Amino acid sequence: LLLYDFTAQRWLELVKSRLDYFSWARDGKHIYFDNPIGSDPAIFRVGISDRKIERVVSLKNINQVSGIWQQWFGLAPDDSPLVLRSAGSQEIYALDWEAP
């Protein structure tokens, strides 16, 4: 994961690893990403100013959706991670919604 510094006019390496999806934090101080490699997949974040990598949450016990969207994640408005979880065909829900 590279970030271009327009002031210094150079590329900065933030993460030297395989990562799939990534999202900017609302305040712009971190980039969140997932690393599906290994026996403990997890969501991490890297600080833009210090390049410190932190584990945010493990995905080891999450039954993720299989297929092309398996590793997708995003961020909620409060920067909490959103992941796809496979609920199987046994859990089907209906929602009735009325607009105000």
Side-chain angles (χ1 to χ4, degrees):
L1 178 62
L2 300 173
L3 181 67
Y4 189 74
D5 182 339
F6 283 94
T7 305
Q9 296 186 348
R10 64 185 172 108
W11 288 97
L12 303 172
E13 185 174 68
L14 297 178
V15 178
K16 189 174 187 170
S17 178
R18 177 185 162 201
L19 53 101
D20 286 337
Y21 294 94
F22 56 91
S23 294
W24 281 94
R26 257 180 89 164
D27 62 8
K29 294 180 181 180
H30 294 90
I31 296 177
Y32 288 73
F33 63 93
D34 73 340
N35 187 339
I37 297 173
S39 60
D40 188 12
I43 294 175
F44 297 87
R45 72 180 188 175
V46 60
I48 301 302
S49 62
D50 61 5
R51 299 185 213 164
K52 180 181 175 187
I53 297 174
E54 302 172 90
R55 177 189 296 263
V56 176
V57 65
S58 172
L59 300 176
K60 187 174 184 175
N61 295 318
I62 303 292
N63 186 16
Q64 292 183 288
V65 175
S66 61
I68 192 168
W69 298 107
Q70 178 177 352
Q71 297 296 331
W72 179 89
F73 90 95
L75 295 176
D78 66 352
D79 287 339
S80 58
L82 301 170
V83 297
L84 292 178
R85 181 181 78 87
S86 176
S89 61
Q90 307 303 323
E91 299 178 28
I92 300 173
Y93 299 95
L95 177 67
D96 292 326
W97 178 69
E98 292 182 29

